[in-house]
Amino acid sequence: MAQVPQRFFDALAVRTWCGLSLRALGRAREEIDAINVYPVADGDTGTNLYLTVESAVAAVEAVFAAHELDDGAPDADGPSLAEAVGAMAHGALIGARGNSGTILAQLLRGMAQVLTARSESAHTEGPGLRLALRNAAESARQAVAHPVEGTVLTVASAAADAADDAEGDCAEVARAAYQGARAALAATPAQLPVLERAGVVDAGGHGLVTVLGALVETFTGRAPGPKTATVVTHARVEPHKGVEPHARVEPHEGVASDTSPAPGDEALAGECAATEGDRDDPAFEVIYLLEAEDAAVTRLRQRLDALGDSLVVVGGDGLWNVHVHVDDAGAAVEAGVEAGRPYRIRITHFGHGDAHTAGSGRPPRERSRRAVVAVVPGEGLAGLYAEAGATTLLARPGEPPASGELVQAVRRAHAHEVVLLPNDAELRHTAAAAAEQARAEGVRVALIPTRSAVQGIAALAVHEPDRRFDEDVVAMTSAAGATRYAEVTVAEHRSWTTAGICQAGDVLGLIDGDVAVIGADVTEVAATVLDRMLSAGGELVTLVLGDEAPGTVTERLEARVREAYLAVDTVVHRGGRQGALLLVGVE
């Protein structure tokens, strides 16, 4: 089906471009992953770019949804260009994955800075798009501590240069930018020896060409061609002013373990010059979002640059995305604490045993027969699941993982057969999409529709990897289905519920997803919930205590079970920052 072309760069064009970019990256993801050799051969650049754009799409769609009328029809005015590009840039920033994704987020932010400055107009034309592309390329270079030619930065600069020479409307400017980017991408092997040795172009640059191709389609209604060649060797081009011609970077030995279970863990291989010499590569990669003032970030850049390499800091207006490779991960996080408020902290240890082994002289590790992949809401539960042998994906409250992150977790499990536990009713469709994609990659996946982490615990307890896959899945599904689940939480605002009207601050007891109890005391509400659940019978009670719950609540509940339900056992776990004050399971 042909895409209806957009005449101007307005809010609808932003929405169209984001959607087309996501689809194009989805098609090109595996190819881009396969050519990811610089500076770390971790094979995830295409996936990282896809997840970054997926976050941008979600933010733009939310802006359009906010302008819909009560009957679901679109508001006649709709969002402005400034609102749409602002949402695009913000979504990409908070969802950026991998170094190429982080740089793409800064490219989109650079465009947004120009386009929001033209907020008095509902759209922009060719000249405005030229300025936006130029600012995008320059702001991305400024975000990288030590830029290197032959990377996505080179491709972005070439796109801006070509756009500067274009005359005409947005379609002509976009087409020129795309052609300039393609030519620069073809020349990247002549600029980076590691690309030339592998006989491939830069993976991040290939991703940017794909996104610019979607921009052409936005304004012309047709995807440009021919397809970008990924295995090429062309003549050397002149380096961009102020950028090192090349830097020899050997691949890291691998990523064996992740010291933080946050979602979307992957090596952020900086488009930066690694320090050469006798020093070993840094042991850790540290990534976090940071709320801080500009002056504090300037000092942070200097400190992190002294601590390690591959430093990229993108963002602005109080919100930043920070990434660096260091030997002292604690020092990198402490530097963020001194600068402001870091969160979504992800620390990856460069060890042995995954895609990094490509090019390291060691054979890749063999796939295991079977694995369990589970989404968990807190650090404590992540540790519990990991001890039981599961590969975990941490879902922060209000931050559900995207399907691409689930697929990445399945890949990280590195097994022929995978049992997927979403542990959230709202993740059912996301998990189903991830399972389909993993099956397309040759992995046998069974999705067990667990609605709570306590159901996942029950399923994991009967998991036996040595029995037949179908038998294992049936047993795990039966165990999860036989577990009733509940949670105790605090109402954020006044609302109608199945148990009546609640006010902000009320304690809510939810049983099997529905509000059953409204009260003022956490322990009393929890006891009422437990009594109602055990009235239908049960042999085992599982309690998962959140960090913000009173420490005495589990003691009171355990005593209650001992006194009133003699044949019932109780198990208590610490869930960490899991959102709910208490999770309850009854089997």
Side-chain angles (χ1 to χ4, degrees):
M1 181 176 174
Q3 173 66 40
V4 177
Q6 305 296 315
R7 291 185 59 197
F8 308 111
F9 201 22
D10 57 8
L12 183 58
V14 173
R15 186 186 201 183
T16 302
W17 181 32
C18 287
L20 290 173
S21 294
L22 187 64
R23 288 194 286 274
L25 286 170
R27 293 190 297 269
R29 180 187 58 77
E30 290 186 2
E31 181 181 4
I32 297 173
D33 283 346
I35 63 170
N36 178 198
V37 298
Y38 172 78
V40 186
D42 51 359
D44 61 0
T45 293
T47 300
N48 292 337
L49 289 168
Y50 180 88
L51 293 174
T52 302
V53 174
E54 186 178 49
S55 181
V57 168
V60 172
E61 290 301 321
V63 167
F64 272 84
H67 280 266
E68 289 183 352
L69 303 177
D70 293 338
D71 60 1
D75 185 350
D77 293 332
S80 66
L81 172 60
E83 288 176 307
V85 295
M88 173 185 71
H90 180 75
L93 176 67
I94 65 173
R97 298 290 189 273
N99 192 51
S100 293
T102 305
I103 292 175
L104 177 61
Q106 187 67 5
L107 288 166
L108 297 179
R109 175 178 168 79
M111 293 186 69
Q113 288 174 326
V114 171
L115 298 173
T116 53
R118 296 169 170 250
S119 57
E120 70 280 357
S121 175
H123 66 265
T124 193
E125 300 187 32
L129 181 57
R130 285 200 300 269
L131 291 175
L133 290 169
R134 170 56 61 195
N135 194 61
E138 292 178 353
S139 63
R141 285 186 179 275
Q142 293 168 3
V144 178
H146 303 289
V148 175
E149 280 290 10
T151 67
V152 63
L153 300 176
T154 305
V155 177
S157 293
D161 291 343
D164 285 343
D165 295 333
E167 299 290 341
D169 58 13
C170 287
E172 291 299 320
V173 173
R175 190 179 291 110
Y178 170 76
Q179 294 294 346
R182 283 189 73 244
L185 177 64
T188 55
Q191 297 169 296
L192 274 179
V194 65
L195 299 179
E196 188 172 31
R197 288 195 298 270
V200 298
V201 296
D202 178 65
H206 183 7
L208 179 57
V209 169
T210 302
V211 171
L212 290 173
L215 185 64
V216 174
E217 187 176 0
T218 298
F219 295 117
T220 66
R222 297 180 61 184
K227 181 181 177 181
T228 300
T230 58
V231 183
V232 294
T233 301
H234 282 263
R236 183 178 303 274
V237 298
E238 290 301 316
H240 190 276
K241 183 179 180 181
V243 181
E244 302 168 31
H246 63 80
R248 184 174 182 271
V249 183
E250 295 298 331
H252 285 292
E253 291 184 342
V255 178
S257 60
D258 191 342
T259 59
S260 170
D265 291 334
E266 68 279 315
L268 296 187
E271 306 285 355
C272 312
T275 302
E276 295 194 54
D278 296 331
R279 182 180 63 81
D280 292 335
D281 289 325
F284 297 96
E285 174 189 68
V286 179
I287 315 144
Y288 48 80
L289 290 179
L290 177 70
E291 294 179 357
E293 299 297 327
D294 291 2
V297 172
T298 299
R299 294 190 295 271
L300 175 67
R301 289 179 192 269
Q302 296 172 347
R303 181 169 178 186
L304 292 180
D305 195 26
L307 284 174
D309 58 33
S310 295
L311 174 62
V312 183
V313 181
V314 304
D317 299 325
L319 180 63
W320 309 83
N321 191 313
V322 179
H323 147 254
V324 67
H325 292 177
V326 293
D327 284 319
D328 189 344
V333 175
E334 289 172 6
V337 172
E338 292 178 4
R341 187 179 79 87
Y343 60 104
R344 292 196 194 177
I345 301 169
R346 299 192 293 275
I347 301 174
T348 302
H349 176 246
F350 292 130
H352 300 273
D354 72 356
H356 288 275
T357 57
S360 67
R362 296 188 306 276
R365 65 185 173 99
E366 294 184 3
R367 286 181 180 272
S368 60
R369 177 185 175 189
R370 187 176 308 157
V372 176
V373 173
V375 181
V376 291
E379 296 91 339
L381 280 172
L384 176 67
Y385 273 73
E387 288 176 6
T391 297
T392 61
L393 181 61
L394 188 67
R396 299 289 189 189
E399 300 175 10
S403 62
E405 292 175 291
L406 281 170
V407 172
Q408 207 166 31
V410 171
R411 293 189 189 118
R412 188 155 42 95
H414 206 60
H416 293 288
E417 301 169 339
V418 170
V419 180
L420 183 57
L421 306 176
N423 291 337
D424 187 338
E426 295 184 0
L427 286 179
R428 179 179 178 183
H429 297 298
T430 301
E436 283 301 316
Q437 183 172 339
R439 291 182 189 117
E441 296 178 4
V443 181
R444 189 180 185 186
V445 181
L447 171 60
I448 298 178
T450 48
R451 294 172 171 81
S452 170
V454 292
Q455 288 189 323
I457 292 173
L460 199 54
V462 301
H463 168 55
E464 292 184 13
D466 291 332
R467 64 184 166 195
R468 291 179 58 248
F469 185 65
D470 292 340
E471 293 176 355
D472 197 27
V473 171
V474 168
M476 294 176 72
T477 302
S478 298
T483 303
R484 300 189 67 196
Y485 64 97
E487 69 176 76
V488 177
T489 188
V490 176
E492 296 182 355
H493 48 76
R494 186 176 186 270
S495 179
W496 290 88
T497 76
T498 51
I501 300 175
C502 71
Q503 305 294 330
D506 282 350
V507 180
L508 307 179
L510 290 80
I511 300 177
D512 294 334
D514 294 323
V515 177
V517 183
I518 301 174
D521 182 78
V522 173
T523 302
E524 290 180 2
V525 169
T528 302
V529 166
L530 189 56
D531 285 340
R532 292 192 184 183
M533 295 179 75
L534 288 173
S535 66
E539 300 176 353
L540 176 66
V541 172
T542 301
L543 303 175
V544 184
L545 188 68
D547 279 352
E548 297 182 0
T552 58
V553 63
T554 53
E555 297 176 4
R556 295 276 299 276
L557 293 178
E558 286 183 284
R560 174 70 177 162
V561 172
R562 285 195 300 269
E563 295 169 1
Y565 308 96
L566 301 181
V568 179
D569 294 324
T570 305
V571 177
V572 179
H573 302 292
R574 293 281 176 174
R577 293 171 291 177
Q578 62 185 20
L581 299 175
L582 181 71
L583 300 178
V584 183
V586 174
E587 302 176 47

